[in-house]
Amino acid sequence: MGMSYALNAAEVRDIFDYRDGALYWRIQPSKGTRAGTLAGAVQRRRPCDRGREQHVIQYKRVRYTRGQLTWAWHYGVWPDRVLGRRNDDVLDDRIENLRVADVSAPRGAKNVPHFL
């Protein structure tokens, strides 16, 4: 099951620069944000989720995770499933750390075979 995105994945490179796991604005997305600045902010997924933060970037009133945008920046397509982190650090969005997650696997179990 795929996810839908308002932003075309091919446009991501026109809007952001990628450096060391972070995205920087190539454009001025709003009056208060300059081109060249770090995009987004760290937010909790829900107020009750202590310690479960993620880096969120808003563009044209749509929120994206930095991991989704990093994936699209590198591959030119949106991830078709949830992204996980090889080192389990949800704030580490370096492309070499991102992977398509197996949502049926327990947290931390990266190579567990699943049988129907």
Side-chain angles (χ1 to χ4, degrees):
M1 174 168 76
M3 298 151 79
S4 64
Y5 300 89
L7 181 63
N8 182 317
E11 296 173 302
V12 174
R13 281 184 173 252
D14 295 332
I15 298 168
F16 300 100
D17 282 325
Y18 172 85
R19 291 192 303 273
D20 301 321
L23 293 170
Y24 297 85
W25 294 107
R26 293 188 73 186
I27 61 168
Q28 183 174 351
S30 65
K31 288 182 181 181
T33 305
R34 294 182 178 186
T37 59
L38 183 64
V42 175
Q43 295 179 349
R44 285 192 181 136
R45 293 180 186 172
R46 295 182 306 232
C48 61
D49 284 346
R50 292 180 185 225
R52 298 195 38 106
E53 294 105 4
Q54 61 185 353
H55 199 108
V56 176
I57 298 170
Q58 184 168 317
Y59 180 68
K60 292 189 177 180
R61 298 185 183 188
V62 179
R63 289 182 181 200
Y64 302 91
T65 67
R66 184 172 62 186
Q68 292 168 330
L69 290 166
T70 298
W71 188 275
W73 195 94
H74 281 85
Y75 299 117
V77 296
W78 293 109
D80 60 352
R81 291 187 288 163
V82 174
L83 293 177
R85 308 301 184 279
R86 295 181 196 286
N87 65 5
D88 290 328
D89 179 355
V90 295
L91 297 178
D92 184 351
D93 292 318
R94 293 173 296 125
I95 191 63
E96 59 269 16
N97 192 43
L98 296 177
R99 64 179 175 82
V100 175
D102 180 356
V103 294
S104 65
R107 183 169 175 79
K110 297 175 187 74
N111 295 316
V112 177
H114 290 82
F115 303 98
L116 296 175

